[in-house]
Amino acid sequence: MIHFPGVADSKFSFLPTQEITKNWNISSRRSEMSRFYMGGKVVDSVDFLRKRHWAWRLDLWPFAIMYGAWLAAIVPRSDAVDAFVVLGGLVALHILIFLFTVWSVDFKCFVQYSKVNDIHHADTCKVTPAKFSGSKEIVPLHFRKLAGSSNSVDVEEIYFDFRKQRFIYSKEKNTFCKLPYPSKEKIGYYLKNTGYGTDTKVFAATEKWGRNVFEYPQPTFSKLLKEQIMEPFFVFQVFCVGLWCLDEYWYYSLFTLFMLFMFESTMAKSRLKTLSELRRVKVDSRTLMVYRCGKWVKMSGTELLPGDVVSIGRSTDQSGENKSVPADMLILAGSAIVNEAILTDESTPQWKVSVMGRGIEEILSPRRDKANVLFGGTKILQHTPDKTFHMKTPDGGCIAVVLRTGFETSQGKLMRTILFSTERVTANSWESGLFILFLVVFALIASGYVLKKGLEDPTRSKYKLFLSCSLIITSVIPPELPMELSIAVNTSLIALARCGIYCTEPFRIPFAGKVDICCFDKTGTLTSDDMEFSGVGGLTDSEDLETDISKLPLRTLEILASCHALVFVDNKLVGDPLEKAALKGIDWSYKSDEKSMPKKGGGNAVQIVPRHHFASHLKRMAVVVRVQEQFFSFVKGAPETIQERLVDMPAFYVKIYKKHTRQGSRVLALAYKSLPEMTVSEARSLERDVVESGLTFAGFAVFNCPIRGDSATILSELKGSSHDLVMITGDQALTACHVAGQVNIISKPALILGSGKNSEEYQWLSPDETDIIKYSENEVEALSESYDLCIGGDCIEMLQQTSGILKVIPYVKVFARVAPEQKELIMTTFKSVGRVTLMCGDGTNDVGALKQAHIGVALLNAIPPAQKEKSSSEAPSKNDTAKSGKSKKLNSAVENGEGPSKSRAVSRLGSTGNQAFKRHLTAAEMQREKLKKLMNELNEEGADGRSAPIVKLGDASMASPFTAKHASVAPTTDVIRQGRSTLVTTLQMFKILGLNCLATAYVLSVMNLDGVKLGDIQATISGVFTAAFFLFISHARPLPTLSAERPHPNIFCSYVFLSLLGQFSVHLFFLISSVKEAERYMPDECIEPDSDFHPNLVNTVSYMVGMMLQVATFAVNYMGHPFNQSILENKPFLYALLAAVGFFTVITSDLFRDLNDWLKLVPLPRALRDKLMIWAWLMFLCCYTWERFLRWAFPGKMPAWRKRQQRVAGTIEKKKSL
């Protein structure tokens, strides 16, 4: 018999010789492949690589040859200046190649690694994560020898670590498998477990699973700063600074460089603080009693291993705070009351019981059997040991066996979701890159023109020519682009912070303007968390509820009073709000001795003996009670589950419960049976199946969960503003459809997908069951035209098996009974068909969906919804803001309101080669301080002055880009409104920067060759106006209501392209005509292209025309209604425009000669001056008319996602057929 190590489960595999030979041959062939396609949730594929010897790297030896050729061929035959120009080009290329290895994982693999086919020749892996799960990484491949048993040789284990998970190469499965943990064994396996018997086994387990800690290295300040200065925009800014130095802008360049490093350092420090806060989330190092080597020993929680048997109970630290559970563990004996708010965001304590009494052949499922599992990070509020268990604990704790440790625990999984699940959105988006490439084409044309003309002149300096060409390219690519974008984003960030909404990834704000589908959780989001007991139905064939408690049967009252999981913690009754509502509704009381009795009258007390807790897969719970000396079993659960267990089901049973469910009520069926005489110990040992069978029906308990007052209004506004609405809930389908209808998510007749009488066939059923349509995945799109569709979690599992996900999910309006993982799947499906998604939810069970959505909005219901303040379109005074912030007691927010992305972009400051940069810097600096001050005010009561006000784990917001301290869905409209405002602002910024840069390319090339130049003061004045205009358009506030018209989602569309070309053509014609007209009034003189600036008529006219174009560009491209304030409403921008027009009029009319002399402007002939004024107005009117025509001809539209859905679904069909 041969043992194969590293398989996906923890069992040994014993195979016959023939099977071994077959498997070995397959695995040998497979191990010679250079890539493994894993297709998992975490890893999609793995490529095997081997690091090249340093001398053979493609970023070294080709350049060594080039440098040698330069020394041998260029240096002897060229003058020093030309030789150094060539060397400079080589060095720049070498640096660029090196930087590409930092920016691109694929390029780094190409340059520094070689692909190998044999896994044993590899030393590195390139890991490609699953779609929407972040970016590729290069990780080392590890080989180690594991000690075999006494009669076998040592075996080799091959593995790699990726995002805190270990993947081991399995010969049997011919691929990499996740490191197995003993969390899916038979119940009998755990009950027989006695921990690790020898130190050798402990050592082997430690080597396999490692210590129980969250180990992610704390990056140093220098490492973070290095990351920042390696980013493309920063590198480009430093390159610009170098060119300015060569052009003798020494003071300006050094000042710019100093400020860039100062801002990057500030940002790196901010990131360091945030990451330090995240590292505070760690495994509790509490001391536990652990059963090892046949005895109980004290041990730190960080030393626990999967398979350890431990004694655990409530434990507090010096401050009285409950200590957390250090790992996921299964309770073998005893019970505990646990606060799981850190994982589920639900304050209701959960009752955890042992697996005693379960069938020993049952396979454990931590998700299904969560009532038996203590999850890492949760806190035990109360525990009760079981003294009858065969193992005795020395400290009176519950006995449990450790299932998972470290990053594999539930808390560790949440940490991995926060750290790794998606790529962060930054200012360096693909759109920015493509837009720059678009401008580079024009820059290269202009630069090529200058180069061609320069080379025709043999007397011209090659160094100056090279410098001129470089400056043209760098001036066309706007270095201030990241800063301009960050100003727009920061303005929205401040406005959202005033509304109590915090953002960890500020550059997601423009995405909010592109959202076309909004998804909502139901319970606690659209509806209140509080339940109201409405009455009991089904006692007769009447469909009306019995609300008079005195008319209810005694058994029904007793079931409602005792069949629950309520418990006293620190003398306070805690538990499910529904069960508390039932107790309150029937006016009974429940005591700490587990007795229920009526508050009024002399009814008998109901003593609870054992409980069989609610299990999601069973959809019911039961208790055995004693009333006087008689025993009963009381059961409650989902009506469809209870009906199978009734001795005699009333004829009206299904009709009545479905009637109330269709009205949006939560319906529980109540049932009971009398038990024969027995002792209390016999009652405790009754099997669950005996307790829950042969029941008598006792009515339906009906509860209502009131819809929040503003849910319907807000969702109606979203629907009216061109958004599709979807509900994703864990509730029952009929209830979900009713609520969806009330809040405007569905408006057409509803159809619910379910299994028919033949369980293998599925069919669409209307809520009243009058319409039945056979299910076909190919007809779903046509069906969605006439109906609003609803599917459940079980149907999603069916779709996964039949590969119908992409054909069905994009057309569904209501998702019911879905698990957290399915919520995540729904989000990724919407994204894969081209939808821009918003997910709004509360609770950490929504974390996966919140993280996967483009815009995740987490609602923290810790406080009641405050009266709605002024909308973000109305600016409250600073005092009002501070007061409202303090009154809300917002004690958790993103540090200083800014995440790494925003800081990174704010700090990437740069400008074209003039002193206006200082003005830009001041604007960004002022905004940063304003934001910092506001966030400090909002967090004043939450932080002690020493700790950073970071969002704490346990808030869904840890994994959500947006966090709202609200109990209603109102923040979604605020986020979308600000998103649309920021989107149109950034769009107009791209257009304005594009037009300015295209004009600059012409001025620096064609006109520069003709001797046209700008003076230093002229450039500074021009830059001041540009900075002011950009600042004021970014401060345009959004309108209070969302419009049905949508903004253009992308820069690259017909509207933007035609607008740029049309306006640039008019600008170019105006510029050329004006300069040509000025040349008629100038005497012929030869002006050298590289000579210094001196005032003349052509220079004066070109500066004035530049001013006119600048003002016209901002005025024409400003986007006001229906998204933002109009120019007349945006007073600062209006005044800046009027000031610029006034300034232009003054200098053109030559009213103040001293001013024009200071600006180095010569007097204009009267005829020329009049022509310029008339042409300026004509240019403005042409551009304005063209822009307004294009906005009318190309309005924003809903994205055509259906075509993409059909294309993606078709691709998958082809793959299946292959």
Side-chain angles (χ1 to χ4, degrees):
M1 295 194 297
I2 298 176
H3 167 229
F4 278 78
V7 290
D9 57 22
S10 58
K11 302 292 185 189
F12 295 127
S13 297
F14 297 93
L15 303 171
T17 310
Q18 297 91 337
E19 193 68 24
I20 292 169
T21 309
K22 178 183 172 185
N23 277 350
W24 182 262
N25 290 337
I26 292 171
S27 63
S28 297
R29 288 198 304 272
R30 186 65 183 267
S31 66
E32 291 179 2
M33 294 173 62
S34 64
R35 170 176 290 184
F36 280 154
Y37 289 98
M38 294 173 62
K41 289 183 179 178
V42 180
V43 177
D44 181 57
S45 64
V46 178
D47 293 276
F48 296 137
L49 307 170
R50 185 172 187 83
K51 199 172 182 71
R52 298 179 194 268
H53 186 272
W54 65 269
W56 297 110
R57 281 170 39 171
L58 297 182
D59 56 349
L60 291 178
W61 68 263
F63 286 95
I65 293 171
M66 285 189 230
Y67 290 132
W70 175 78
L71 275 171
I74 305 293
V75 172
R77 298 190 180 122
S78 307
D79 60 33
V81 173
D82 289 348
F84 275 103
V85 167
V86 173
L87 179 63
L90 277 177
V91 170
L93 180 64
H94 199 170
I95 292 170
L96 195 62
I97 293 292
F98 166 73
L99 289 170
F100 266 108
T101 64
V102 176
W103 299 334
S104 168
V105 171
D106 288 327
F107 189 78
K108 184 175 183 178
C109 292
F110 172 72
V111 168
Q112 298 182 3
Y113 298 85
S114 55
K115 279 193 174 185
V116 293
N117 291 325
D118 189 343
I119 190 171
H120 293 90
H121 294 161
D123 58 15
T124 315
C125 295
K126 181 181 79 174
V127 182
T128 305
K131 196 173 183 183
F132 305 121
S133 297
S135 51
K136 299 173 185 176
E137 288 183 30
I138 298 173
V139 297
L141 191 65
H142 300 280
F143 298 80
R144 67 177 178 184
K145 296 286 184 183
L146 294 179
S149 58
S150 57
N151 60 347
S152 65
V153 296
D154 290 355
V155 292
E156 184 182 50
E157 184 179 76
I158 306 171
Y159 68 93
F160 66 85
D161 294 322
F162 177 67
R163 295 182 179 171
K164 304 304 172 186
Q165 288 185 292
R166 180 159 292 181
F167 294 85
I168 299 173
Y169 178 65
S170 164
K171 292 191 175 86
E172 286 75 18
K173 293 196 179 269
N174 298 321
T175 187
F176 283 91
C177 300
K178 278 172 60 176
L179 175 67
Y181 281 76
S183 58
K184 294 182 181 178
E185 306 292 342
K186 292 181 179 178
I187 299 293
Y189 165 86
Y190 297 112
L191 291 172
K192 292 176 185 174
N193 196 329
T194 54
Y196 292 98
T198 63
D199 289 334
T200 307
K201 289 182 178 179
V202 172
F203 176 78
T206 307
E207 192 178 40
K208 181 176 183 179
W209 287 298
R211 296 179 71 236
N212 179 31
V213 290
F214 291 153
E215 286 181 334
Y216 40 100
Q218 169 75 8
T220 60
F221 173 78
S222 57
K223 186 180 177 183
L224 288 176
L225 184 61
K226 183 183 173 185
E227 277 182 29
Q228 300 305 125
I229 63 178
M230 286 287 192
E231 294 215 355
F233 269 121
F234 185 86
V235 170
F236 175 69
Q237 287 166 328
V238 172
F239 179 64
C240 288
V241 167
L243 289 178
W244 298 335
C245 283
L246 294 175
D247 205 26
E248 298 170 4
Y249 281 92
W250 283 101
Y251 292 115
Y252 168 69
S253 300
L254 292 174
F255 168 75
T256 304
L257 194 62
F258 172 75
M259 289 309 297
L260 283 172
F261 273 100
M262 283 298 292
F263 271 85
E264 292 295 341
S265 301
T266 306
M267 195 280 305
K269 189 178 178 183
S270 169
R271 279 188 68 201
L272 190 65
K273 207 172 181 182
T274 305
L275 291 168
S276 300
E277 190 68 25
L278 203 58
R279 288 191 84 239
R280 292 186 192 177
V281 181
K282 57 187 177 183
V283 173
D284 201 321
S285 57
R286 63 183 289 182
T287 303
L288 296 95
M289 299 300 292
V290 182
Y291 196 74
R292 282 195 186 169
C293 303
K295 60 183 179 182
W296 290 99
V297 292
K298 283 187 177 180
M299 200 164 288
S300 168
T302 57
E303 302 302 321
L304 292 182
L305 295 166
D308 265 329
V309 173
V310 302
S311 171
I312 189 161
R314 183 179 185 181
S315 177
T316 56
D317 56 23
Q318 294 176 345
S319 63
E321 182 76 18
N322 288 312
K323 290 186 177 180
S324 59
V325 178
D328 287 0
M329 47 186 76
L330 178 71
I331 301 180
L332 302 180
S335 62
I337 312 297
V338 181
N339 179 358
E340 292 188 339
I342 194 167
L343 299 180
T344 63
D345 207 32
E346 294 172 6
S347 56
T348 305
Q350 304 296 310
W351 200 318
K352 302 288 181 174
V353 294
S354 77
V355 289
M356 290 283 287
R358 295 277 299 276
I360 59 172
E361 292 300 312
E362 283 185 53
I363 303 293
L364 179 73
S365 167
R367 191 191 307 168
R368 186 195 67 201
D369 302 317
K370 57 187 178 185
N372 308 114
V373 178
L374 295 171
F375 294 107
T378 60
K379 296 184 178 181
I380 297 177
L381 305 177
Q382 191 173 295
H383 75 278
T384 308
D386 183 353
K387 296 177 182 176
T388 63
F389 195 65
H390 65 86
M391 290 180 74
K392 307 297 179 188
T393 61
D395 59 353
C398 299
I399 296 177
V401 59
V402 177
L403 301 177
R404 295 175 298 212
T405 56
F407 275 98
E408 286 299 320
T409 63
S410 297
Q411 186 183 16
K413 185 181 177 185
L414 180 60
M415 289 302 298
R416 280 192 282 112
T417 301
I418 293 165
L419 289 167
F420 305 119
S421 71
T422 56
E423 297 177 66
R424 294 186 73 85
V425 178
T426 68
N428 305 336
S429 68
W430 65 271
E431 278 195 338
S432 303
L434 285 177
F435 179 72
I436 285 169
L437 283 177
F438 171 71
L439 295 178
V440 163
V441 173
F442 291 91
L444 290 173
I445 293 169
S447 186
Y449 178 78
V450 170
L451 187 64
K452 178 177 177 293
K453 290 289 184 181
L455 292 174
E456 289 173 1
D457 182 1
T459 61
R460 190 166 180 191
S461 164
K462 299 290 189 296
Y463 167 72
K464 284 284 188 181
L465 183 62
F466 167 75
L467 194 57
S468 296
C469 293
S470 302
L471 281 171
I472 289 170
I473 295 172
T474 57
S475 64
V476 170
I477 304 170
E480 73 268 29
L481 181 62
M483 189 199 62
E484 304 297 2
L485 292 178
S486 69
I487 286 177
V489 168
N490 288 355
T491 305
S492 291
L493 206 60
I494 292 168
L496 288 173
R498 283 186 174 130
C499 299
I501 302 166
Y502 306 97
C503 181
T504 56
E505 295 181 46
F507 279 95
R508 278 192 192 265
I509 292 175
F511 273 91
K514 304 179 186 182
V515 166
D516 57 66
I517 185 166
C518 302
C519 307
F520 295 90
D521 180 32
K522 182 180 83 71
T523 309
T525 303
L526 295 171
T527 63
S528 168
D529 280 325
D530 300 323
M531 302 296 292
E532 296 174 355
F533 177 64
S534 301
V536 177
L539 299 172
T540 64
D541 59 1
S542 169
E543 293 186 355
D544 296 329
L545 291 178
E546 182 58 72
T547 55
D548 188 347
I549 305 303
S550 62
K551 294 180 181 178
L552 293 178
L554 181 61
R555 283 290 166 264
T556 302
L557 291 172
E558 288 174 348
I559 295 169
L560 286 169
S562 59
C563 190
H564 56 66
L566 298 176
V567 66
F568 279 87
V569 175
D570 297 332
N571 296 318
K572 186 179 179 182
L573 187 66
V574 295
D576 190 334
L578 179 141
E579 293 175 338
K580 289 166 81 173
L583 205 61
K584 182 182 176 183
I586 61 173
D587 205 24
W588 279 51
S589 63
Y590 177 66
K591 305 296 183 185
S592 57
D593 58 357
E594 298 194 333
K595 280 185 181 177
S596 293
M597 57 194 339
K599 289 182 180 178
K600 298 173 185 175
N604 295 316
V606 181
Q607 175 71 57
I608 300 171
V609 185
R611 281 184 173 96
H612 296 281
H613 286 270
F614 176 82
S616 56
H617 65 289
L618 297 176
K619 298 180 183 175
R620 62 181 183 270
M621 78 162 289
V623 293
V624 175
V625 300
R626 185 170 63 177
V627 182
Q628 293 179 310
E629 294 304 316
Q630 189 175 359
F631 287 92
F632 294 92
S633 74
F634 290 163
V635 184
K636 72 177 181 186
E640 62 271 25
T641 306
I642 300 297
Q643 75 180 71
E644 300 166 359
R645 299 185 164 267
L646 296 177
V647 175
D648 182 23
M649 187 183 80
F652 49 80
Y653 183 95
V654 174
K655 181 183 75 171
I656 289 181
Y657 93 73
K658 287 197 172 179
K659 184 248 183 187
H660 292 297
T661 307
R662 287 186 199 110
Q663 293 174 349
S665 300
R666 178 95 176 267
V667 180
L668 292 176
L670 310 177
Y672 70 96
K673 77 171 178 180
S674 298
L675 297 173
E677 285 189 18
M678 60 181 74
T679 62
V680 172
S681 60
E682 288 173 336
R684 290 185 192 279
S685 61
L686 283 174
E687 288 190 9
R688 181 164 190 163
D689 200 49
V690 173
V691 172
E692 296 176 345
S693 60
L695 303 172
T696 303
F697 179 60
F700 295 114
V702 180
F703 300 85
N704 277 314
C705 189
I707 295 171
R708 295 197 192 278
D710 58 354
S711 292
T713 310
I714 288 162
L715 266 65
S716 179
E717 184 181 355
L718 288 171
K719 198 167 190 175
S721 56
S722 306
H723 293 96
D724 287 337
L725 304 178
V726 167
M727 178 188 286
I728 305 175
T729 178
D731 218 333
Q732 210 259 2
L734 287 169
T735 306
C737 284
H738 175 78
V739 174
Q742 287 188 308
V743 296
N744 305 305
I745 289 177
I746 62 176
S747 51
K748 293 180 279 193
L751 287 180
I752 301 168
L753 184 62
S755 55
K757 292 177 182 176
N758 180 354
S759 59
E760 291 183 6
E761 290 186 2
Y762 281 81
Q763 59 190 20
W764 295 102
L765 208 64
S766 63
D768 58 5
E769 299 182 12
T770 54
D771 294 337
I772 300 175
I773 301 172
K774 190 176 179 182
Y775 165 73
S776 168
E777 64 181 34
N778 296 318
E779 295 172 9
V780 171
E781 182 179 357
L783 204 60
S784 67
E785 299 292 336
S786 309
Y787 297 92
D788 284 326
L789 307 180
C790 168
I791 66 171
D794 55 338
C795 298
I796 293 177
E797 290 177 5
M798 178 272 291
L799 292 173
Q800 285 176 291
Q801 292 166 5
T802 60
S803 301
I805 290 284
L806 281 166
K807 291 185 177 180
V808 178
I809 283 183
Y811 301 100
V812 175
K813 289 280 189 172
V814 178
F815 298 89
R817 294 277 191 230
V818 289
E821 292 80 8
Q822 291 174 328
K823 290 185 179 183
E824 199 169 339
L825 173 69
I826 292 163
M827 284 296 114
T828 53
T829 305
F830 281 138
K831 286 164 71 176
S832 64
V833 299
R835 307 301 301 262
V836 181
T837 54
L838 178 145
M839 174 70 196
C840 180
D842 67 324
T844 315
N845 55 350
D846 295 322
V847 156
L850 289 167
K851 191 75 176 175
Q852 282 297 343
H854 293 98
I855 302 297
V857 182
L859 304 180
L860 304 185
N861 296 332
I863 54 163
Q867 188 177 2
K868 188 164 177 64
E869 299 174 52
K870 294 181 181 181
S871 69
S872 54
S873 62
E874 303 167 8
S877 68
K878 287 185 180 178
N879 292 338
D880 290 342
T881 306
K883 286 175 186 172
S884 65
K886 290 174 186 174
S887 66
K888 288 181 183 177
K889 297 184 179 179
L890 305 181
N891 57 2
S892 59
V894 179
E895 178 202 357
N896 294 335
E898 58 191 292
S901 311
K902 193 232 56 169
S903 308
R904 190 178 301 130
V906 170
S907 50
R908 274 190 208 97
L909 300 171
S911 180
T912 49
N914 61 58
Q915 295 171 359
F917 174 79
K918 300 175 189 177
R919 300 287 179 172
H920 283 275
L921 199 63
T922 309
E925 215 171 5
M926 282 167 57
Q927 235 188 1
R928 194 171 184 279
E929 288 304 312
K930 189 177 178 184
L931 181 64
K932 193 171 181 179
K933 183 181 177 185
L934 178 68
M935 299 308 293
N936 286 341
E937 285 175 350
L938 287 169
N939 285 287
E940 196 170 72
E941 296 193 12
D944 57 8
R946 296 185 300 276
S947 59
I950 305 282
V951 178
K952 299 296 186 289
L953 186 65
D955 295 343
S957 50
M958 273 293 272
S960 176
F962 295 88
T963 306
K965 286 280 186 177
H966 288 261
S968 83
V969 291
T972 55
T973 54
D974 291 327
V975 170
I976 289 174
R977 196 166 59 244
Q978 287 295 342
R980 285 187 172 187
S981 173
T982 309
L983 183 62
V984 296
T985 302
T986 51
L987 190 66
Q988 70 195 12
M989 281 183 173
F990 274 114
K991 285 175 64 185
I992 291 164
L993 285 168
L995 286 167
N996 286 348
C997 291
L998 290 174
T1000 305
Y1002 181 77
V1003 169
L1004 286 176
S1005 57
V1006 180
M1007 293 178 69
N1008 194 266
L1009 287 174
D1010 294 335
V1012 176
K1013 281 184 164 56
L1014 289 184
D1016 199 21
I1017 296 171
Q1018 294 174 359
T1020 304
I1021 296 290
S1022 178
V1024 168
F1025 277 115
T1026 303
F1029 288 152
F1030 271 125
L1031 185 63
F1032 295 143
I1033 62 170
S1034 70
H1035 275 71
R1037 289 194 286 271
L1039 297 180
T1041 53
L1042 290 169
S1043 69
E1045 186 181 332
R1046 298 179 61 83
H1048 290 278
N1050 302 310
I1051 302 166
F1052 295 95
C1053 58
S1054 303
Y1055 158 68
V1056 175
F1057 187 69
L1058 290 173
S1059 179
L1060 277 177
L1061 288 184
Q1063 290 185 61
F1064 180 59
S1065 302
V1066 175
H1067 290 181
L1068 199 61
F1069 180 74
F1070 177 46
L1071 194 58
I1072 294 170
S1073 302
S1074 301
V1075 172
K1076 293 291 182 190
E1077 188 69 20
E1079 286 174 351
R1080 290 174 51 203
Y1081 292 90
M1082 266 185 73
D1084 290 335
E1085 57 178 294
C1086 182
I1087 303 171
E1088 290 295 326
D1090 295 330
S1091 62
D1092 293 332
F1093 169 82
H1094 68 271
N1096 61 38
L1097 193 59
V1098 172
N1099 282 344
T1100 299
V1101 168
S1102 64
Y1103 174 66
M1104 290 178 176
V1105 169
M1107 279 290 295
M1108 298 174 202
L1109 293 177
Q1110 189 181 40
V1111 174
T1113 300
F1114 279 95
V1116 167
N1117 292 285
Y1118 179 84
M1119 293 186 185
H1121 290 193
F1123 309 112
N1124 284 339
Q1125 295 171 314
S1126 65
I1127 290 181
L1128 295 176
E1129 292 166 332
N1130 186 355
K1131 299 296 183 188
F1133 182 58
L1134 176 65
Y1135 297 149
L1137 278 179
L1138 292 175
V1141 171
F1143 177 76
F1144 163 69
T1145 307
V1146 166
I1147 61 172
T1148 308
S1149 56
D1150 206 12
L1151 287 176
F1152 303 103
R1153 186 63 251 161
D1154 291 344
L1155 174 64
N1156 283 19
D1157 287 341
W1158 179 66
L1159 291 171
K1160 298 184 179 177
L1161 300 174
V1162 301
L1164 299 181
R1166 185 173 185 82
L1168 179 60
R1169 185 174 64 201
D1170 293 342
K1171 275 186 181 179
L1172 279 183
M1173 297 291 276
I1174 294 167
W1175 287 356
W1177 278 108
L1178 286 173
M1179 175 271 298
F1180 173 76
L1181 288 173
C1182 287
C1183 291
Y1184 184 83
T1185 306
W1186 177 245
E1187 175 68 15
R1188 288 298 174 273
F1189 168 73
L1190 290 177
R1191 289 186 193 179
W1192 170 81
F1194 300 98
K1197 294 177 182 176
M1198 281 285 278
W1201 61 271
R1202 289 173 188 259
K1203 289 180 182 176
R1204 180 167 174 178
Q1205 181 268 335
Q1206 290 163 359
R1207 190 170 65 248
V1208 174
T1211 305
I1212 289 176
E1213 284 293 325
K1214 285 179 185 175
K1215 284 183 180 177
K1216 279 173 65 182
S1217 62
L1218 291 173

